[in-house]
Amino acid sequence: MYNIPQGVGLGMSLLKHELEKIRQQKLVIALDGHSSSGKSTLAHNLAQLLQLNHIDTGAMYRAVTLYLLDHHIDTTSKEKVSEVLDDIDITFHREKEKCYTYLNGRKVEEEIRTMRVSDHVSAVSTISAVRRHLVKLQRKMAASESVIMDGRDIGSVVLPEADVKIFVSASLEIRTERRYKELLDKGVKITKEEVADNLAKRDHIDSNRADSPLVQADDAILLDTGALDQGQMLAEAIKIIHGKTSS
Ligand code: DC
């Protein structure tokens, strides 16, 4: 039986034995893209369908940011931030179908998604010491098992030898709509302009920072999710993975 993620109408005709072939391989998939491009949902759905571990590296940058804010550490001070990195432990634990982020043993999945963290996380992710620290952890997590890792620099820096690299993209307007709806559903009071502003600022910082900026790796395949629903995104990604792994 195939574990089709809940809420996903999988209009996909890929044969079951082809899916089975993909699942039998040790597979490392790198998924990069802009904020709210749909990559985390896609990574989650792929992980479920292909039975891979999902490592959400954005959650790791968010957890570091939450730690700094909670400990009143200046998020722009490279020195102060570097001093506390060894005190920060980030792990993922699976419960039923989903992986949850833990910071020093405390579940922080909800807290790391708040605007308080979103407003500071891109600045924190420009600090090279933070990136070195997290990249080391990320490589360790991907070393022994099949994984799908999503982020900004996975195909270009963290896992340049990944078997499959997908770069997910959608226009700022579409990403704003998606993020706005997500926040409204959670009961967050925010305007669409504020959401657009936060995304545009993060795009700018993520794409222009000196250390490991968001770029599409030369060998990554572009997947524009603008016109696709979750099921269509999953079907397209499976086609890409099948194409890369069947030869
Ligand atoms: O995917 P996200 O929106 O949860 O990511 C939060 C921030 O973390 C984003 O603004 C950029 C940063 N990030 C990064 O620099 N490198 C990664 N591999 C993942 C995220």
Side-chain angles (χ1 to χ4, degrees):
M1 270 304 289
Y2 285 87
N3 200 3
I4 306 293
Q6 249 189 6
V8 173
L10 199 62
M12 174 166 92
S13 61
L14 195 71
L15 297 173
K16 288 191 172 172
H17 74 266
E18 288 171 335
L19 274 178
E20 192 54 50
K21 260 197 260 168
I22 299 176
R23 283 167 58 161
Q24 280 165 1
Q25 305 175 30
K26 157 125 174 36
L27 202 56
V28 174
I29 303 175
L31 190 61
D32 290 299
H34 292 99
S35 304
S36 298
S37 56
K39 66 183 173 347
S40 284
T41 308
L42 175 59
H44 169 74
N45 287 339
L46 279 170
Q48 246 185 287
L49 187 63
L50 301 177
Q51 295 179 349
L52 309 165
N53 276 339
H54 172 205
I55 298 161
D56 173 355
T57 62
M60 299 171 83
Y61 287 91
R62 287 173 178 274
V64 170
T65 306
L66 178 64
Y67 180 94
L68 300 173
L69 294 173
D70 283 352
H71 289 78
H72 309 288
I73 293 161
D74 179 359
T75 55
T76 62
S77 163
K78 289 179 190 151
E79 293 71 30
K80 294 216 165 74
V81 171
S82 303
E83 274 169 24
V84 297
L85 286 175
D86 285 338
D87 301 334
I88 303 175
D89 180 39
I90 301 164
T91 48
F92 293 102
H93 296 285
R94 184 185 289 277
E95 280 169 39
K96 295 195 179 118
E97 302 299 348
K98 207 176 159 347
C99 266
Y100 293 92
T101 314
Y102 283 71
L103 168 62
N104 292 341
R106 185 166 68 89
K107 192 178 188 176
V108 291
E109 193 61 40
E110 292 285 311
E111 253 178 287
I112 59 171
R113 314 279 167 199
T114 57
M115 287 307 282
R116 173 176 172 246
V117 171
S118 296
D119 281 341
H120 291 87
V121 63
S122 283
V124 171
S125 68
T126 64
I127 301 175
S128 291
V130 172
R131 303 204 71 83
R132 276 198 302 275
H133 185 76
L134 292 185
V135 168
K136 213 193 284 173
L137 265 176
Q138 289 155 7
R139 286 186 178 147
K140 222 191 253 176
M141 290 174 174
S144 52
E145 288 168 308
S146 286
V147 292
I148 177 154
M149 192 176 279
D150 79 274
R152 304 292 188 289
D153 58 343
I154 310 305
S156 55
V157 174
V158 183
L159 304 172
E161 306 297 327
D163 303 296
V164 185
K165 298 181 187 177
I166 302 176
F167 190 87
V168 182
S169 161
S171 69
L172 179 63
E173 291 69 30
I174 286 177
R175 290 184 289 126
T176 300
E177 284 295 337
R178 284 184 188 153
R179 185 81 186 120
Y180 180 59
K181 192 172 171 307
E182 246 172 57
L183 290 169
L184 281 193
D185 287 348
K186 282 188 190 162
V188 176
K189 283 205 178 69
I190 192 159
T191 66
K192 212 180 269 188
E193 290 66 37
E194 284 169 325
V195 174
D197 190 47
N198 175 265
L199 285 179
K201 272 192 195 137
R202 281 163 59 193
D203 282 359
H204 183 79
I205 301 176
D206 293 350
S207 304
N208 292 288
R209 65 174 174 240
D211 190 345
S212 322
L214 169 65
V215 283
Q216 181 179 344
D218 289 342
D219 49 351
I221 294 175
L222 179 67
L223 175 57
D224 188 329
T225 64
L228 306 182
D229 65 22
Q230 277 192 40
Q232 292 166 327
M233 262 186 234
L234 183 57
E236 288 302 313
I238 290 287
K239 270 191 229 158
I240 293 173
I241 295 164
H242 179 61
K244 279 276 177 187
T245 56
S246 59
S247 48

